[in-house]
Amino acid sequence: GIQVEQSPPDLILQEGANSTLRCNFSDSVNNLQWFHQNPWGQLINLFYIPSGTKQNGRLSATTVATERYSLLYISSSQTTDSGVYFCAVEGSYNTDKLIFGTGTRLQVFP
Amino acid sequence: GAVVSQHPSRVICKSGTSVKIECRSLDFQATTMFWYRQFPKQSLMLMATSNEGSKATYEQGVEKDKFLINHASLTLSTLTVTSAHPEDSSFYICSGSGTPNTGELFFGEGSRLTVL
């Protein structure tokens, strides 16, 4: 099945810093989503981005499907950005299943 | 986005008992819902695909007799962990796509199961 790797696995930032999270996937995809998992476990939808670039406030994401990667940019980080960020993909050949990446654990300190 | 609600959010039970977790789609009809499991500090692993009116499809390595899934209506899917044991302690989370189905999945709040 499709493999989804995220980097870095852990990231520690001071408030105000910018960061880039990467998601690599091993096969072509129909869909790709980015999530933020808060300390209570809830998954917050950030972006639905099978291709192209989207922005939402301090967050933006870019997916280059032909090169099999996606990037999540966080600018001017805040302590509330702390948590785990997951990308998840639906492979073109195994549709209707969203497979999660390994995750990036982000800690933002004041 | 679509709203998915799970209940209970936390459950503690004794070893050997069965536990039922409900997943409801509040503002859309879900012909398909997905159940995931997450162990501490790990990613989410797909357990099964729940299909309204038919049998669930389980991922490799997931025991269908252990994790019973029922999807009797377009707004409710249930996961029953039968004869739970401590190794079944985990975070269980369900998801569905809205109407119209754009392919984007929305997740419930999750249910944390602790088996003593």
Side-chain angles (χ1 to χ4, degrees):
Chain A
I2 193 167
Q3 304 297 313
V4 188
E5 295 288 333
Q6 291 182 243
S7 60
D10 295 280
L11 188 57
I12 300 174
L13 298 175
Q14 193 159 22
E15 208 168 25
N18 302 328
S19 62
T20 301
L21 282 59
R22 187 177 179 102
C23 171
N24 291 331
F25 40 95
S26 61
D27 211 337
S28 57
V29 299
N30 287 338
N31 297 324
L32 187 145
Q33 290 184 242
W34 282 98
F35 298 92
H36 176 210
Q37 188 170 38
N38 66 22
W40 297 270
Q42 184 155 14
L43 285 172
I44 311 299
N45 287 43
L46 297 178
F47 293 103
Y48 171 66
I49 186 166
S51 64
T53 297
K54 290 185 177 179
Q55 181 158 6
N56 185 2
R58 295 182 296 106
L59 302 182
S60 63
T62 296
T63 297
V64 184
T66 53
E67 297 187 19
R68 300 182 182 170
Y69 72 89
S70 183
L71 302 174
L72 176 69
Y73 305 96
I74 305 174
S75 65
S76 304
S77 58
Q78 300 176 359
T79 56
T80 51
D81 294 332
S82 297
V84 184
Y85 289 80
F86 288 105
C87 73
V89 304
E90 176 191 337
S92 297
Y93 304 108
N94 200 1
T95 57
D96 296 331
K97 294 184 180 183
L98 203 62
I99 305 302
F100 277 74
T102 48
T104 292
R105 185 173 299 273
L106 174 64
Q107 297 178 73
V108 182
F109 292 96
Chain B
V3 181
V4 179
S5 178
Q6 272 184 250
H7 177 81
S9 57
R10 288 180 179 271
V11 58
I12 300 173
C13 69
K14 292 183 178 180
S15 187
T17 60
S18 294
V19 174
K20 180 185 284 189
I21 300 169
E22 293 186 346
C23 177
R24 295 183 183 274
S25 55
L26 299 186
D27 57 357
F28 67 99
Q29 293 185 328
T31 55
T32 302
M33 299 190 87
F34 302 91
W35 286 94
Y36 290 81
R37 178 170 55 182
Q38 185 182 32
F39 292 109
K41 297 192 184 299
Q42 294 187 21
S43 186
L44 282 79
M45 299 299 295
L46 180 64
M47 298 176 65
T49 303
S50 171
N51 304 299
E52 188 267 335
S54 65
K55 291 183 179 180
T57 305
Y58 291 83
E59 295 300 303
Q60 191 172 7
V62 178
E63 301 174 60
K64 61 180 181 181
D65 295 330
K66 174 75 170 177
F67 300 99
L68 300 180
I69 292 173
N70 185 280
H71 194 152
S73 78
L74 288 172
T75 59
L76 175 64
S77 176
T78 61
L79 168 68
T80 301
V81 183
T82 63
S83 186
H85 291 285
E87 58 266 29
D88 298 322
S89 298
S90 189
F91 188 64
Y92 294 88
I93 189 166
C94 67
S95 70
S97 45
T99 303
N101 185 354
T102 62
E104 184 174 8
L105 284 188
F106 297 88
F107 284 78
E109 310 95 322
S111 301
R112 193 167 301 280
L113 170 63
T114 302
V115 185
L116 303 176

